[in-house]
Amino acid sequence: MLEVKNIYKSYGEISILENIDFNCKTPELVSILGPSGSGKSTILKIIAGLIPINEGQVVMDGIDLTKMSPEVREIVYISQEPSLFPHLTVEENLYFGLEIRRVSKKSASLKISKLIGQLELDGLEKRLPRELSGGQRQRVAIGRALAVEPRVLLMDEPFSSLDMSLRTSMGELIRKIRDTYDISILMVSHDPNEAMAYSDRMILLRDGRILQIGTPEQLYKSPKSEKAASMLGGWGIIPGRFEEKTFHYALGSIPNVKKSMFSNGLYYRPEDLCLIPDIAGVPIVLTTRHGREIYYQLKSDKGILEVKTTDVIPLPIGTRVKLIWRSTIKQD
């Protein structure tokens, strides 16, 4: 198991990372999600031994790696742009690490042949990197890393230069690698949908600090702060007030709701609610679709209430509706 213990990193008086503390089991795929400049890549480079730290430890199965050089850590770092040797073929790039380790040609050939099949690089063995697509180059970089049998694979935004279809196939490949090679994978991402789709656990990072760690489901349903909620996106908010366990808003009240820790109302997911026609309800004054979500504006005697749902067919403007909660609202 990889453990990152109370890491602190600064450049002069500028703090980059503070109290970074988490672990990554074997096998497990953990993603670090955060905006640009939050310190995501710095964490990976610290784990790989590429940059020093001010305080803290990097530990692998009880062994302190903090002062060890990168080449003895059994950790491989793959940057955002695969750094393949441009003058070497796919096969030669895959063989490079094994040659340095003086693995016999017979053993190396068997390993490379297996990797080429697993990474779907068949027929590309003699091509140079410039003759490959972005997705193929990323697969070669992953194969070169796996050839030396690392215990931890660090991936810095591996999908950023790929189109949507390639991102999906690459995400599935990385999950397969996690299971096949019994390896810890730590992946940096700034896309919440991407991180939630492929991760066992996620680390929400902002301004060099960890906001929350948990499974995608835990973070999606139970964010612990407004900042954590905003990082995953997809939240709606209904303005109102709490009185003990009852939430009062423009269209009525919701009983048995734990008081929100958020300051300005009740946060919800669009799938938690829907609108149904009701002659005694309030009229829809605006309907728009944004991807899979439908945005409504409802006019009440207390003003305009904005809500969003995942209804398949939008209700037309002028329809009188009432709001129905599909599930109990919980904000632990």
Side-chain angles (χ1 to χ4, degrees):
M1 180 171 69
L2 173 70
E3 297 176 272
V4 175
K5 298 185 175 183
N6 298 315
I7 292 294
Y8 174 77
K9 174 64 181 176
S10 67
Y11 292 106
E13 296 182 357
I14 301 175
S15 175
I16 305 299
L17 298 170
E18 292 187 24
N19 300 320
I20 302 300
D21 196 293
F22 65 88
N23 62 59
C24 185
K25 302 173 185 176
T26 305
E28 188 177 33
L29 199 168
V30 176
S31 64
I32 304 176
L33 178 69
S36 298
S38 59
K40 305 185 300 297
S41 297
T42 302
I43 291 175
L44 294 196
K45 291 175 182 177
I46 285 172
I47 294 171
L50 300 177
I51 59 176
I53 56 176
N54 300 81
E55 298 176 14
Q57 290 178 296
V58 178
V59 177
M60 175 76 75
D61 293 337
I63 299 174
D64 190 349
L65 307 181
T66 311
K67 296 182 179 180
M68 292 185 181
S69 59
E71 59 269 20
V72 299
R73 293 192 180 201
E74 297 184 271
I75 295 173
V76 175
Y77 170 77
I78 300 178
S79 61
Q80 187 172 333
E81 291 296 329
S83 55
L84 303 178
F85 296 107
H87 62 290
L88 300 183
T89 66
V90 167
E91 197 171 51
E92 290 168 338
N93 266 285
L94 293 175
Y95 181 63
F96 181 80
L98 298 175
E99 185 177 26
I100 291 177
R101 287 164 174 75
R102 298 183 179 180
V103 176
S104 70
K105 288 189 176 181
K106 181 178 180 180
S107 297
S109 294
L110 290 173
K111 182 172 288 189
I112 290 171
S113 178
K114 181 180 178 181
L115 282 169
I116 286 172
Q118 290 175 330
L119 298 171
E120 299 177 4
L121 295 170
D122 303 87
L124 305 176
E125 294 91 336
K126 304 303 179 182
R127 290 192 186 182
L128 295 171
R130 66 173 180 269
E131 299 171 317
L132 303 175
S133 68
Q136 289 167 343
R137 287 194 296 272
Q138 192 66 269
R139 287 171 185 264
V140 176
I142 293 171
R144 190 173 65 182
L146 293 175
V148 299
E149 299 181 358
R151 299 169 70 184
V152 177
L153 183 61
L154 307 175
M155 307 188 73
D156 197 344
E157 300 201 41
F159 311 132
S160 61
S161 61
L162 307 180
D163 60 35
M164 187 57 66
S165 61
L166 286 176
R167 287 184 179 205
T168 301
S169 62
M170 188 64 71
E172 293 170 351
L173 173 65
I174 291 173
R175 288 182 65 88
K176 184 178 179 181
I177 287 170
R178 174 204 60 190
D179 296 331
T180 303
Y181 287 86
D182 195 35
I183 192 172
S184 301
I185 300 177
L186 194 60
M187 180 179 76
V188 156
S189 177
H190 65 268
D191 184 333
N193 293 326
E194 179 180 280
M196 292 180 71
Y198 307 121
S199 306
D200 297 309
R201 287 188 299 141
M202 297 168 59
I203 299 169
L204 302 184
L205 187 74
R206 188 163 178 171
D207 299 325
R209 295 175 175 83
I210 293 177
L211 299 181
Q212 192 172 347
I213 301 175
T215 65
E217 182 68 16
Q218 288 169 340
L219 300 185
Y220 185 81
K221 287 294 186 181
S222 302
K224 292 183 177 180
S225 68
E226 289 183 70
K227 287 183 178 180
S230 66
M231 287 183 65
L232 294 179
W235 284 95
I237 182 169
I238 294 181
R241 71 183 194 281
F242 288 89
E243 291 183 359
E244 296 184 351
K245 292 185 178 182
T246 299
F247 177 69
H248 301 279
Y249 68 113
L251 302 187
S253 302
I254 308 172
N256 300 318
V257 180
K258 184 176 181 179
K259 184 175 181 179
S260 174
M261 68 176 62
F262 308 138
S263 59
N264 51 350
L266 180 67
Y267 277 65
Y268 69 94
R269 290 291 185 183
E271 62 268 24
D272 290 332
L273 57 84
C274 65
L275 301 179
I276 63 171
D278 187 332
I279 196 170
V282 296
I284 297 173
V285 295
L286 179 66
T287 299
T288 58
R289 178 179 286 280
H290 290 238
R292 294 176 297 175
E293 298 174 353
I294 301 173
Y295 285 70
Y296 294 104
Q297 286 186 358
L298 311 177
K299 186 177 182 180
S300 73
D301 58 2
K302 297 181 181 180
I304 298 295
L305 176 66
E306 297 181 351
V307 297
K308 52 186 177 179
T309 74
T310 53
D311 296 340
V312 176
I313 301 174
L315 295 170
I317 292 174
T319 305
R320 288 186 169 272
V321 297
K322 67 178 180 179
L323 191 152
I324 299 296
W325 296 94
R326 290 195 174 110
S327 60
T328 301
I329 302 295
K330 291 183 179 179
Q331 299 187 2
D332 298 324

